[in-house]
Amino acid sequence: MAQKHATPMLDELEKGPWPSFVTDVKRMAPKSKMCEDWLGLMEMSYRDKEGHWKHGGIVGVLGYGGGVIGRYCDRPDLFPNVAHFHTVRVNQPASKYYNTQILRQMCDLFERRGSGLTNMHGSTGDIVLLGTTTDELEPIFYELTHDLGMDLGGSGSNMRTPEGCLGMSRCEWSCVDTQDIIYDLTMEYQDALHRPMFPYKFKFKASGCPCDCVAAIARSDCSIIGTWRDNIRIDQEAVRAYVGGELVPHAGAGGREKGSFDIKAEVVDLCPTRCMEWDGKTLKIWDEDCTRCMHCIRVMPRALRPGLDTGATILVGAKAPILEGAQLSSVVIPFIKMEPPYGEFKEFVEKMWDYWMEHGKNRERLGEMIQRVSLREFLKACDLTPDPRMINTPRFNPYIFYDPAEVPGGWEHDGVAFRQRHQA
Amino acid sequence: MSEEAKLRIIEWVKQQKKTKHYFNDLCKAVPEIKMMQAKKIINELVAEGKLKYWSSGSTTMYMLPSEGDVDKEEKGMN
Protein backbone atom coordinates (compact mmCIF):
# COMPACT_ATOMS: atom_id res chain seq x y z
CA MET A 1 0.00 0.00 0.00
CA ALA A 2 1.35 3.42 -0.98
CA GLN A 3 2.48 5.65 1.87
CA LYS A 4 0.83 9.03 2.32
CA HIS A 5 4.24 10.71 2.74
CA ALA A 6 7.49 9.71 1.01
CA THR A 7 10.15 8.86 3.62
CA PRO A 8 13.52 8.38 1.89
CA MET A 9 15.55 9.33 4.96
CA LEU A 10 13.55 7.23 7.39
CA ASP A 11 13.84 4.31 4.99
CA GLU A 12 17.59 4.35 5.61
CA LEU A 13 16.89 3.49 9.23
CA GLU A 14 15.34 0.20 8.14
CA LYS A 15 18.59 -1.02 6.64
CA GLY A 16 21.08 -3.08 8.60
CA PRO A 17 20.61 -6.01 10.94
CA TRP A 18 18.76 -4.21 13.74
CA PRO A 19 15.05 -3.96 14.46
CA SER A 20 13.73 -0.62 13.24
CA PHE A 21 11.07 1.55 14.82
CA VAL A 22 10.39 2.91 11.32
CA THR A 23 9.35 -0.57 10.16
CA ASP A 24 7.08 -0.88 13.20
CA VAL A 25 5.39 2.45 12.53
CA LYS A 26 5.00 1.69 8.80
CA ARG A 27 3.29 -1.56 9.74
CA MET A 28 0.76 0.41 11.79
CA ALA A 29 0.29 3.17 9.19
CA PRO A 30 -2.40 1.44 7.06
CA LYS A 31 -4.54 1.17 10.22
CA SER A 32 -3.69 4.52 11.79
CA LYS A 33 -3.83 7.98 10.26
CA MET A 34 -1.73 9.23 13.18
CA CYS A 35 1.06 6.87 12.16
CA GLU A 36 0.86 8.05 8.54
CA ASP A 37 1.31 11.67 9.55
CA TRP A 38 3.91 10.74 12.17
CA LEU A 39 6.07 9.29 9.38
CA GLY A 40 5.72 12.49 7.35
CA LEU A 41 6.54 14.69 10.32
CA MET A 42 9.60 12.63 11.25
CA GLU A 43 10.85 12.72 7.66
CA MET A 44 10.56 16.51 7.72
CA SER A 45 12.49 16.65 11.02
CA TYR A 46 15.27 14.46 9.61
CA ARG A 47 15.41 16.52 6.43
CA ASP A 48 15.45 19.94 8.16
CA LYS A 49 17.40 18.75 11.23
CA GLU A 50 14.77 20.37 13.44
CA GLY A 51 12.28 18.94 15.88
CA HIS A 52 8.61 19.74 15.40
CA TRP A 53 7.18 18.61 18.73
CA LYS A 54 6.07 20.87 21.55
CA HIS A 55 6.32 19.10 24.87
CA GLY A 56 4.24 19.66 27.99
CA GLY A 57 0.89 21.21 28.72
CA ILE A 58 -2.20 21.29 30.88
CA VAL A 59 -3.85 18.13 29.60
CA GLY A 60 -4.53 15.30 32.02
CA VAL A 61 -7.32 13.30 33.56
CA LEU A 62 -9.56 14.56 36.33
CA GLY A 63 -8.04 14.28 39.79
CA TYR A 64 -4.59 13.26 38.58
CA GLY A 65 -1.54 15.49 38.29
CA GLY A 66 0.52 13.00 36.34
CA GLY A 67 0.44 10.10 33.95
CA VAL A 68 -0.31 12.19 30.86
CA ILE A 69 2.27 14.30 29.06
CA GLY A 70 0.95 16.82 26.57
CA ARG A 71 2.58 16.77 23.18
CA TYR A 72 1.71 18.86 20.14
CA CYS A 73 3.03 19.16 16.62
CA ASP A 74 4.01 22.68 15.51
CA ARG A 75 2.92 22.00 11.90
CA PRO A 76 -0.71 20.86 12.27
CA ASP A 77 -1.39 22.46 8.88
CA LEU A 78 0.80 19.82 7.20
CA PHE A 79 0.18 16.92 9.56
CA PRO A 80 -3.28 17.35 11.09
CA ASN A 81 -3.50 13.81 12.46
CA VAL A 82 -0.60 14.39 14.85
CA ALA A 83 -1.69 17.88 15.90
CA HIS A 84 -2.13 16.34 19.38
CA PHE A 85 0.07 13.41 20.17
CA HIS A 86 -0.13 13.03 23.96
CA THR A 87 1.75 10.37 25.87
CA VAL A 88 -0.01 8.21 28.45
CA ARG A 89 2.03 6.38 31.07
CA VAL A 90 0.44 3.22 32.43
CA ASN A 91 1.64 1.76 35.73
CA GLN A 92 3.11 -1.63 34.89
CA PRO A 93 2.36 -4.58 37.17
CA ALA A 94 5.14 -5.37 39.66
CA SER A 95 8.05 -7.04 37.83
CA LYS A 96 6.11 -6.66 34.56
CA TYR A 97 4.06 -9.84 34.75
CA TYR A 98 1.10 -9.76 32.37
CA ASN A 99 -1.11 -12.27 30.71
CA THR A 100 -1.59 -12.07 26.96
CA GLN A 101 -5.26 -11.19 27.37
CA ILE A 102 -4.37 -7.92 29.12
CA LEU A 103 -1.74 -7.09 26.51
CA ARG A 104 -4.24 -7.70 23.70
CA GLN A 105 -6.89 -5.61 25.44
CA MET A 106 -4.43 -2.78 25.93
CA CYS A 107 -3.31 -2.86 22.29
CA ASP A 108 -6.94 -2.97 21.10
CA LEU A 109 -7.79 -0.03 23.36
CA PHE A 110 -4.95 2.06 22.01
CA GLU A 111 -5.64 1.19 18.38
CA ARG A 112 -9.20 2.41 18.93
CA ARG A 113 -8.35 5.50 20.93
CA GLY A 114 -4.83 6.45 19.89
CA SER A 115 -2.06 5.85 17.40
CA GLY A 116 -1.70 2.20 18.38
CA LEU A 117 2.00 2.79 19.11
CA THR A 118 3.28 1.56 22.44
CA ASN A 119 6.64 1.54 24.14
CA MET A 120 7.20 -1.53 26.27
CA HIS A 121 8.56 -0.15 28.54
CA GLY A 122 9.71 3.38 29.35
CA SER A 123 12.86 3.70 31.44
CA THR A 124 10.82 4.09 34.63
CA GLY A 125 9.13 0.82 33.73
CA ASP A 126 5.75 2.19 32.67
CA ILE A 127 3.93 0.95 29.62
CA VAL A 128 3.93 4.02 27.40
CA LEU A 129 1.03 4.68 25.04
CA LEU A 130 2.42 7.04 22.42
CA GLY A 131 0.11 9.48 20.75
CA THR A 132 -3.51 10.25 21.45
CA THR A 133 -5.78 13.26 21.38
CA THR A 134 -7.12 15.31 24.27
CA ASP A 135 -10.70 14.08 23.87
CA GLU A 136 -9.56 10.45 24.14
CA LEU A 137 -7.71 10.88 27.45
CA GLU A 138 -10.67 10.41 29.79
CA PRO A 139 -12.09 7.44 27.84
CA ILE A 140 -8.66 5.76 27.84
CA PHE A 141 -8.36 6.33 31.59
CA TYR A 142 -11.88 4.98 32.17
CA GLU A 143 -11.24 1.81 30.17
CA LEU A 144 -7.82 1.25 31.71
CA THR A 145 -9.14 1.49 35.24
CA HIS A 146 -12.54 -0.17 34.77
CA ASP A 147 -11.95 -2.84 32.12
CA LEU A 148 -8.26 -3.65 32.47
CA GLY A 149 -7.76 -3.02 36.19
CA MET A 150 -4.76 -0.82 35.47
CA ASP A 151 -3.86 2.71 36.53
CA LEU A 152 -1.79 5.60 35.24
CA GLY A 153 1.85 5.88 36.28
CA GLY A 154 3.79 8.86 37.53
CA SER A 155 5.15 11.86 35.67
CA GLY A 156 6.13 15.43 36.51
CA SER A 157 7.05 16.25 40.11
CA ASN A 158 5.38 13.10 41.39
CA MET A 159 6.71 9.95 42.87
CA ARG A 160 7.33 7.94 39.72
CA THR A 161 6.03 4.45 39.14
CA PRO A 162 8.13 2.20 41.40
CA GLU A 163 9.99 -0.57 39.62
CA GLY A 164 11.55 -3.84 40.71
CA CYS A 165 13.34 -6.87 39.35
CA LEU A 166 11.68 -10.30 39.04
CA GLY A 167 12.77 -10.99 42.60
CA MET A 168 11.76 -14.18 44.34
CA SER A 169 9.32 -15.09 41.57
CA ARG A 170 12.14 -16.41 39.40
CA CYS A 171 15.48 -15.69 41.01
CA GLU A 172 17.16 -17.86 43.65
CA TRP A 173 19.43 -14.99 44.72
CA SER A 174 16.70 -12.57 45.66
CA CYS A 175 17.11 -11.56 49.30
CA VAL A 176 13.89 -9.52 49.47
CA ASP A 177 10.45 -9.87 47.90
CA THR A 178 10.78 -7.06 45.37
CA GLN A 179 7.33 -7.64 43.89
CA ASP A 180 5.68 -7.21 47.27
CA ILE A 181 7.81 -4.14 48.11
CA ILE A 182 6.94 -2.47 44.79
CA TYR A 183 3.25 -3.27 45.09
CA ASP A 184 3.18 -2.10 48.70
CA LEU A 185 4.95 1.20 47.95
CA THR A 186 2.70 1.79 44.95
CA MET A 187 -0.44 1.34 47.03
CA GLU A 188 0.83 3.16 50.13
CA TYR A 189 1.98 6.22 48.22
CA GLN A 190 -0.88 6.56 45.71
CA ASP A 191 -1.26 10.21 46.56
CA ALA A 192 2.42 10.96 45.89
CA LEU A 193 2.18 8.96 42.64
CA HIS A 194 -0.80 10.84 41.26
CA ARG A 195 -0.59 14.29 42.81
CA PRO A 196 2.67 16.21 42.52
CA MET A 197 4.28 17.68 45.61
CA PHE A 198 8.04 17.28 45.26
CA PRO A 199 10.66 19.72 43.95
CA TYR A 200 11.25 17.27 41.09
CA LYS A 201 10.79 13.61 40.15
CA PHE A 202 11.36 10.87 42.75
CA LYS A 203 12.04 7.24 41.87
CA PHE A 204 12.04 4.03 43.90
CA LYS A 205 13.60 0.91 42.47
CA ALA A 206 14.08 -2.45 44.18
CA SER A 207 16.56 -5.15 43.23
CA GLY A 208 16.47 -8.49 44.97
CA CYS A 209 20.23 -8.90 45.23
CA PRO A 210 23.39 -6.85 44.66
CA CYS A 211 23.50 -7.90 40.97
CA ASP A 212 20.95 -5.06 40.77
CA CYS A 213 19.19 -6.11 37.58
CA VAL A 214 17.00 -2.97 37.49
CA ALA A 215 20.07 -0.75 38.00
CA ALA A 216 18.49 0.76 41.10
CA ILE A 217 21.85 2.14 42.23
CA ALA A 218 22.19 4.17 39.03
CA ARG A 219 18.60 5.18 38.30
CA SER A 220 16.64 5.72 41.47
CA ASP A 221 16.48 8.42 44.10
CA CYS A 222 15.89 5.65 46.62
CA SER A 223 17.41 2.25 45.82
CA ILE A 224 16.38 -0.85 47.74
CA ILE A 225 18.96 -3.55 47.10
CA GLY A 226 18.65 -7.00 48.65
CA THR A 227 21.59 -8.27 50.68
CA TRP A 228 22.43 -10.58 53.61
CA ARG A 229 24.30 -10.07 56.88
CA ASP A 230 25.41 -13.58 57.69
CA ASN A 231 27.78 -15.70 55.64
CA ILE A 232 27.77 -16.82 52.02
CA ARG A 233 26.58 -20.43 51.99
CA ILE A 234 29.29 -22.70 50.59
CA ASP A 235 28.85 -26.22 49.26
CA GLN A 236 32.49 -27.38 49.25
CA GLU A 237 31.64 -30.51 47.23
CA ALA A 238 30.19 -28.34 44.49
CA VAL A 239 33.24 -26.02 44.60
CA ARG A 240 35.44 -29.06 43.98
CA ALA A 241 33.09 -30.17 41.18
CA TYR A 242 33.56 -26.78 39.43
CA VAL A 243 37.35 -27.03 39.84
CA GLY A 244 37.26 -30.61 38.54
CA GLY A 245 35.35 -29.54 35.44
CA GLU A 246 32.16 -31.44 36.35
CA LEU A 247 30.05 -28.28 36.56
CA VAL A 248 29.90 -25.44 34.03
CA PRO A 249 30.96 -22.05 35.44
CA HIS A 250 28.56 -19.11 35.02
CA ALA A 251 25.81 -21.73 34.53
CA GLY A 252 26.87 -21.90 30.90
CA ALA A 253 26.27 -18.20 30.22
CA GLY A 254 28.11 -16.89 27.17
CA GLY A 255 28.36 -20.38 25.67
CA ARG A 256 30.73 -21.62 28.38
CA GLU A 257 31.02 -25.40 28.50
CA LYS A 258 32.41 -27.95 30.92
CA GLY A 259 36.17 -28.04 30.99
CA SER A 260 39.08 -26.27 32.57
CA PHE A 261 38.21 -23.80 35.27
CA ASP A 262 40.88 -21.83 37.09
CA ILE A 263 39.22 -20.89 40.37
CA LYS A 264 42.16 -18.72 41.40
CA ALA A 265 42.19 -16.63 38.23
CA GLU A 266 38.44 -16.54 37.67
CA VAL A 267 37.19 -16.15 41.22
CA VAL A 268 39.71 -15.68 44.04
CA ASP A 269 41.93 -13.12 42.32
CA LEU A 270 38.94 -11.16 41.05
CA CYS A 271 37.42 -10.70 44.50
CA PRO A 272 37.52 -6.90 45.04
CA THR A 273 38.39 -7.21 48.73
CA ARG A 274 40.56 -10.34 48.41
CA CYS A 275 38.43 -12.02 51.04
CA MET A 276 38.70 -15.54 49.55
CA GLU A 277 41.27 -18.28 49.64
CA TRP A 278 41.45 -21.64 47.81
CA ASP A 279 43.91 -24.19 49.14
CA GLY A 280 43.22 -26.83 46.51
CA LYS A 281 40.52 -28.56 48.59
CA THR A 282 38.53 -25.96 50.46
CA LEU A 283 37.28 -22.47 49.64
CA LYS A 284 37.50 -20.08 52.59
CA ILE A 285 35.64 -16.75 52.64
CA TRP A 286 36.25 -14.03 55.24
CA ASP A 287 32.69 -12.75 55.13
CA GLU A 288 33.39 -9.71 57.29
CA ASP A 289 35.36 -8.27 54.36
CA CYS A 290 32.87 -9.26 51.65
CA THR A 291 31.29 -6.29 49.87
CA ARG A 292 28.52 -8.38 48.25
CA CYS A 293 29.81 -7.90 44.70
CA MET A 294 28.18 -11.24 43.75
CA HIS A 295 31.02 -12.21 41.38
CA CYS A 296 31.89 -15.52 43.08
CA ILE A 297 28.21 -16.45 43.39
CA ARG A 298 27.60 -15.69 39.72
CA VAL A 299 30.56 -17.83 38.61
CA MET A 300 29.71 -20.82 40.83
CA PRO A 301 25.94 -20.67 41.45
CA ARG A 302 25.74 -24.36 42.46
CA ALA A 303 28.47 -23.91 45.07
CA LEU A 304 27.84 -20.47 46.56
CA ARG A 305 24.61 -18.84 47.64
CA PRO A 306 23.68 -15.66 49.51
CA GLY A 307 23.29 -16.04 53.28
CA LEU A 308 20.01 -16.74 55.04
CA ASP A 309 19.72 -13.62 57.22
CA THR A 310 18.48 -11.45 54.40
CA GLY A 311 17.25 -7.88 54.08
CA ALA A 312 18.18 -4.83 52.05
CA THR A 313 20.62 -1.97 51.84
CA ILE A 314 18.97 1.40 51.28
CA LEU A 315 20.79 3.92 49.12
CA VAL A 316 19.71 7.37 48.01
CA GLY A 317 20.53 10.00 45.44
CA ALA A 318 21.13 8.45 42.01
CA LYS A 319 20.32 10.47 38.93
CA ALA A 320 21.19 10.94 35.28
CA PRO A 321 23.30 13.91 34.19
CA ILE A 322 21.14 16.99 33.69
CA LEU A 323 22.33 19.64 36.14
CA GLU A 324 25.42 18.03 37.67
CA GLY A 325 26.98 14.84 36.35
CA ALA A 326 25.45 11.41 36.81
CA GLN A 327 25.46 10.14 40.37
CA LEU A 328 25.14 6.67 41.88
CA SER A 329 23.17 6.25 45.09
CA SER A 330 24.98 6.39 48.44
CA VAL A 331 24.35 3.99 51.30
CA VAL A 332 22.24 5.48 54.08
CA ILE A 333 20.91 2.31 55.74
CA PRO A 334 23.45 -0.53 55.48
CA PHE A 335 20.94 -3.19 56.49
CA ILE A 336 17.21 -3.26 57.07
CA LYS A 337 15.04 -6.39 57.28
CA MET A 338 12.42 -5.16 54.75
CA GLU A 339 9.54 -7.28 55.97
CA PRO A 340 5.88 -6.33 55.50
CA PRO A 341 4.42 -3.86 56.31
CA TYR A 342 7.84 -2.13 55.90
CA GLY A 343 7.12 0.32 58.75
CA GLU A 344 10.74 1.17 59.53
CA PHE A 345 11.47 1.83 55.86
CA LYS A 346 8.40 4.00 55.38
CA GLU A 347 9.29 6.03 58.46
CA PHE A 348 12.65 6.79 56.83
CA VAL A 349 11.00 7.61 53.49
CA GLU A 350 8.65 10.11 55.06
CA LYS A 351 11.44 11.87 56.98
CA MET A 352 13.46 12.00 53.77
CA TRP A 353 10.57 13.46 51.80
CA ASP A 354 9.82 16.04 54.53
CA TYR A 355 13.42 17.24 54.44
CA TRP A 356 13.62 17.30 50.64
CA MET A 357 10.33 19.18 50.32
CA GLU A 358 11.51 21.69 52.90
CA HIS A 359 15.08 22.18 51.63
CA GLY A 360 15.11 21.07 47.98
CA LYS A 361 15.23 23.77 45.35
CA ASN A 362 12.90 23.68 42.37
CA ARG A 363 13.98 20.98 39.91
CA GLU A 364 16.64 19.71 42.33
CA ARG A 365 16.87 15.93 42.66
CA LEU A 366 17.37 14.43 46.09
CA GLY A 367 20.99 13.49 45.30
CA GLU A 368 21.78 17.04 44.21
CA MET A 369 20.31 18.42 47.40
CA ILE A 370 22.39 16.01 49.51
CA GLN A 371 25.49 17.08 47.60
CA ARG A 372 24.64 20.69 48.41
CA VAL A 373 23.70 20.36 52.08
CA SER A 374 26.10 17.43 52.85
CA LEU A 375 25.33 13.82 53.66
CA ARG A 376 25.84 14.60 57.35
CA GLU A 377 22.96 17.09 57.39
CA PHE A 378 20.76 14.68 55.47
CA LEU A 379 21.50 11.83 57.89
CA LYS A 380 20.73 14.10 60.82
CA ALA A 381 17.40 15.09 59.28
CA CYS A 382 16.48 11.43 58.81
CA ASP A 383 17.64 10.40 62.32
CA LEU A 384 20.27 8.08 60.88
CA THR A 385 23.65 7.41 62.46
CA PRO A 386 26.74 7.76 60.25
CA ASP A 387 28.38 4.43 59.57
CA PRO A 388 31.70 3.47 57.93
CA ARG A 389 29.73 1.49 55.35
CA MET A 390 28.44 4.79 53.97
CA ILE A 391 31.98 5.73 52.92
CA ASN A 392 33.78 4.36 49.90
CA THR A 393 37.20 4.05 51.55
CA PRO A 394 36.67 4.68 55.26
CA ARG A 395 40.31 4.33 56.31
CA PHE A 396 41.62 6.48 53.47
CA ASN A 397 40.47 10.03 54.18
CA PRO A 398 42.18 11.53 57.25
CA TYR A 399 39.90 14.57 57.44
CA ILE A 400 37.18 14.46 60.03
CA PHE A 401 34.72 17.32 60.26
CA TYR A 402 33.43 17.45 63.78
CA ASP A 403 30.05 18.91 64.55
CA PRO A 404 30.38 21.56 67.32
CA ALA A 405 27.27 20.15 68.95
CA GLU A 406 28.93 16.77 69.36
CA VAL A 407 32.19 18.02 70.90
CA PRO A 408 32.16 18.80 74.66
CA GLY A 409 32.30 22.57 75.02
CA GLY A 410 31.68 23.06 71.30
CA TRP A 411 32.86 26.19 69.50
CA GLU A 412 31.55 29.02 67.42
CA HIS A 413 32.74 29.90 63.96
CA ASP A 414 32.29 33.42 62.62
CA GLY A 415 32.70 33.09 58.86
CA VAL A 416 32.74 36.85 58.23
CA ALA A 417 35.43 37.49 60.86
CA PHE A 418 37.45 34.56 59.45
CA ARG A 419 37.38 36.09 55.96
CA GLN A 420 38.53 39.46 57.34
CA ARG A 421 41.56 37.77 58.87
CA HIS A 422 42.23 35.78 55.66
CA GLN A 423 41.52 38.23 52.88
CA ALA A 424 43.68 36.95 50.03
CA MET B 1 -7.39 27.56 58.68
CA SER B 2 -7.47 25.59 55.48
CA GLU B 3 -9.96 27.94 53.81
CA GLU B 4 -7.96 30.97 54.86
CA ALA B 5 -4.76 29.33 53.56
CA LYS B 6 -6.48 28.63 50.23
CA LEU B 7 -7.42 32.28 49.89
CA ARG B 8 -3.89 33.40 50.67
CA ILE B 9 -2.43 31.01 48.08
CA ILE B 10 -4.80 32.21 45.37
CA GLU B 11 -4.13 35.84 46.27
CA TRP B 12 -0.39 35.20 46.11
CA VAL B 13 -0.69 33.59 42.68
CA LYS B 14 -2.77 36.48 41.38
CA GLN B 15 -0.10 38.95 42.48
CA GLN B 16 2.68 37.23 40.54
CA LYS B 17 3.83 38.26 37.08
CA LYS B 18 4.61 34.70 36.06
CA THR B 19 1.70 32.48 35.19
CA LYS B 20 3.20 29.09 36.17
CA HIS B 21 4.40 28.35 39.70
CA TYR B 22 6.34 25.58 41.36
CA PHE B 23 4.88 23.85 44.40
CA ASN B 24 7.67 25.30 46.58
CA ASP B 25 6.76 28.79 45.43
CA LEU B 26 3.09 28.36 46.28
CA CYS B 27 4.14 27.32 49.77
CA LYS B 28 5.72 30.76 50.25
CA ALA B 29 2.19 32.11 50.53
CA VAL B 30 1.64 30.03 53.66
CA PRO B 31 5.09 29.79 55.28
CA GLU B 32 3.77 28.65 58.66
CA ILE B 33 2.21 25.50 57.16
CA LYS B 34 4.25 22.29 56.80
CA MET B 35 4.84 21.23 53.21
CA MET B 36 2.85 17.99 53.53
CA GLN B 37 -0.13 19.91 54.84
CA ALA B 38 0.31 22.56 52.14
CA LYS B 39 0.23 19.81 49.54
CA LYS B 40 -3.21 18.73 50.72
CA ILE B 41 -4.47 22.31 50.59
CA ILE B 42 -3.05 22.91 47.11
CA ASN B 43 -4.55 19.68 45.82
CA GLU B 44 -7.91 20.70 47.23
CA LEU B 45 -7.56 23.93 45.25
CA VAL B 46 -6.93 21.84 42.12
CA ALA B 47 -9.92 19.60 42.89
CA GLU B 48 -12.09 22.70 43.35
CA GLY B 49 -10.94 24.05 39.98
CA LYS B 50 -9.21 27.10 41.49
CA LEU B 51 -5.76 26.01 40.35
CA LYS B 52 -4.66 23.64 37.65
CA TYR B 53 -1.63 21.59 36.81
CA TRP B 54 0.79 22.29 33.99
CA SER B 55 3.33 19.55 33.35
CA SER B 56 6.38 19.47 31.11
CA GLY B 57 6.56 15.74 31.68
CA SER B 58 9.44 16.03 34.12
CA THR B 59 8.23 18.89 36.31
CA THR B 60 4.78 19.96 37.38
CA MET B 61 3.71 23.53 37.92
CA TYR B 62 0.47 25.21 38.97
CA MET B 63 -1.51 27.96 37.33
CA LEU B 64 -4.82 29.77 37.58
CA PRO B 65 -7.57 28.29 35.40
CA SER B 66 -7.88 31.62 33.60
CA GLU B 67 -4.24 31.50 32.53
CA GLY B 68 -4.21 28.32 30.53
CA ASP B 69 -6.76 27.01 28.10
CA VAL B 70 -6.68 23.60 26.45
CA ASP B 71 -8.20 24.96 23.23
CA LYS B 72 -5.63 27.73 23.03
CA GLU B 73 -2.83 25.35 23.92
CA GLU B 74 -3.90 23.04 21.15
CA LYS B 75 -3.91 25.88 18.68
CA GLY B 76 -0.40 26.87 19.82
CA MET B 77 -1.55 30.10 21.43
CA ASN B 78 -0.45 29.45 25.03
Side-chain angles (χ1 to χ4, degrees):
Chain A
M1 189 176 173
Q3 279 180 218
K4 182 176 172 186
H5 304 282
T7 56
M9 296 190 81
L10 290 185
D11 296 346
E12 291 296 313
L13 298 176
E14 295 188 274
K15 296 176 182 169
W18 307 282
S20 167
F21 69 98
V22 175
T23 309
D24 289 348
V25 179
K26 279 184 181 174
R27 198 180 298 154
M28 275 303 291
K31 286 199 269 184
S32 163
K33 287 191 165 134
M34 281 184 132
C35 290
E36 280 184 332
D37 273 5
W38 183 94
L39 286 164
L41 180 76
M42 289 302 286
E43 180 69 21
M44 187 166 82
S45 289
Y46 275 73
R47 189 193 66 212
D48 300 344
K49 297 187 172 67
E50 280 180 344
H52 288 281
W53 293 118
K54 296 186 293 174
H55 206 242
I58 52 181
V59 290
V61 298
L62 191 63
Y64 278 31
V68 176
I69 300 149
R71 184 191 292 247
Y72 302 97
C73 161
D74 66 5
R75 292 306 305 270
D77 52 328
L78 299 176
F79 306 102
N81 296 310
V82 290
H84 318 173
F85 202 77
H86 308 317
T87 300
V88 179
R89 288 194 184 149
V90 181
N91 193 330
Q92 81 282 14
S95 304
K96 307 190 184 83
Y97 278 104
Y98 311 95
N99 57 34
T100 51
Q101 186 192 355
I102 282 286
L103 290 173
R104 285 200 183 92
Q105 277 180 287
M106 202 176 334
C107 290
D108 289 345
L109 161 65
F110 207 55
E111 281 184 22
R112 265 188 293 114
R113 299 201 176 276
S115 69
L117 298 178
T118 63
N119 173 8
M120 305 288 273
H121 302 80
S123 58
T124 302
D126 298 285
I127 303 157
V128 188
L129 307 180
L130 290 161
T132 190
T133 53
T134 305
D135 52 338
E136 292 289 4
L137 290 171
E138 287 290 352
I140 287 173
F141 179 56
Y142 184 91
E143 286 192 40
L144 273 176
T145 48
H146 290 73
D147 302 340
L148 277 77
M150 300 185 89
D151 196 1
L152 296 187
S155 70
S157 308
N158 298 27
M159 181 184 92
R160 300 301 181 83
T161 314
E163 189 186 19
C165 70
L166 293 168
M168 289 173 169
S169 67
R170 283 182 66 90
C171 180
E172 66 192 48
W173 294 332
S174 192
C175 298
V176 288
D177 188 345
T178 53
Q179 281 179 281
D180 187 61
I181 292 168
I182 292 306
Y183 182 72
D184 191 287
L185 292 177
T186 305
M187 300 311 283
E188 175 86 18
Y189 296 124
Q190 277 286 296
D191 200 44
L193 180 59
H194 298 309
R195 281 165 279 280
M197 62 177 182
F198 298 131
Y200 204 12
K201 61 181 88 164
F202 188 92
K203 301 179 180 181
F204 282 114
K205 293 192 195 295
S207 284
C209 80
C211 286
D212 194 10
C213 290
V214 290
I217 199 168
R219 305 194 299 149
S220 57
D221 298 273
C222 182
S223 329
I224 303 156
I225 301 183
T227 188
W228 63 94
R229 60 180 169 185
D230 52 352
N231 296 337
I232 292 177
R233 287 176 284 164
I234 310 177
D235 178 344
Q236 298 289 357
E237 277 300 316
V239 175
R240 286 188 280 274
Y242 275 108
V243 175
E246 295 161 43
L247 294 172
V248 190
H250 291 283
R256 188 85 185 252
E257 290 175 5
K258 284 183 189 174
S260 65
F261 170 60
D262 183 346
I263 190 171
K264 186 170 180 308
E266 294 189 46
V267 178
V268 176
D269 289 352
L270 294 180
C271 173
T273 56
R274 298 282 190 272
C275 73
M276 312 183 86
E277 194 177 279
W278 168 248
D279 65 5
K281 286 182 185 163
T282 309
L283 181 70
K284 165 79 183 148
I285 300 176
W286 281 269
D287 288 87
E288 62 275 23
D289 287 331
C290 170
T291 50
R292 316 295 192 259
C293 80
M294 295 293 287
H295 175 72
C296 58
I297 296 176
R298 277 198 298 253
V299 178
M300 302 190 293
R302 292 274 290 274
L304 303 176
R305 284 184 291 169
L308 290 167
D309 187 5
T310 56
T313 297
I314 307 300
L315 307 94
V316 297
K319 62 171 209 72
I322 293 184
L323 294 182
E324 303 275 332
Q327 270 175 228
L328 297 182
S329 310
S330 304
V331 173
V332 289
I333 303 179
F335 188 88
I336 186 170
K337 277 306 273 181
M338 283 310 274
E339 285 165 349
Y342 313 108
E344 194 187 344
F345 175 68
K346 287 173 189 166
E347 214 173 283
F348 158 70
V349 166
E350 282 152 36
K351 281 179 193 162
M352 169 171 68
W353 281 351
D354 274 343
Y355 187 73
W356 183 42
M357 288 171 76
E358 208 72 45
H359 295 86
K361 295 179 181 176
N362 294 328
R363 291 176 65 82
E364 184 176 51
R365 292 285 286 270
L366 180 74
E368 288 161 346
M369 182 202 68
I370 294 173
Q371 210 171 36
R372 180 169 55 81
V373 302
S374 83
L375 184 61
R376 186 177 70 178
E377 289 303 312
F378 177 75
L379 293 175
K380 233 192 272 181
C382 297
D383 294 325
L384 295 171
T385 312
D387 184 294
R389 287 166 292 185
M390 296 172 186
I391 301 161
N392 190 18
T393 45
R395 297 180 188 89
F396 182 78
N397 188 339
Y399 296 102
I400 297 166
F401 293 94
Y402 289 103
D403 185 341
E406 289 167 4
V407 176
W411 71 86
E412 281 180 17
H413 177 72
D414 184 342
V416 176
F418 178 88
R419 277 291 150 224
Q420 279 175 351
R421 294 196 302 274
H422 302 266
Q423 292 184 7
Chain B
M1 175 64 187
S2 163
E3 289 307 311
E4 188 233 327
K6 284 181 190 172
L7 282 176
R8 280 162 58 200
I9 291 169
I10 295 296
E11 278 311 305
W12 184 90
V13 173
K14 284 180 179 168
Q15 285 164 12
Q16 306 305 308
K17 281 184 186 161
K18 287 183 183 172
T19 54
K20 296 179 191 127
H21 308 279
Y22 289 107
F23 175 80
N24 278 3
D25 296 332
L26 294 187
C27 292
K28 288 176 189 161
V30 283
E32 74 286 3
I33 295 178
K34 285 254 172 204
M35 293 280 205
M36 283 287 184
Q37 185 59 28
K39 184 217 170 183
K40 286 180 190 153
I41 295 170
I42 290 167
N43 276 317
E44 279 175 31
L45 284 168
V46 174
E48 291 164 12
K50 292 173 184 163
L51 282 178
K52 67 180 172 189
Y53 299 119
W54 182 93
S55 172
S56 67
S58 63
T59 318
T60 310
M61 301 176 89
Y62 298 81
M63 60 202 299
L64 292 169
S66 54
E67 297 290 354
D69 184 286
V70 175
D71 287 339
K72 283 184 185 172
E73 186 170 81
E74 288 172 357
K75 287 173 189 145
M77 292 158 70
N78 271 343

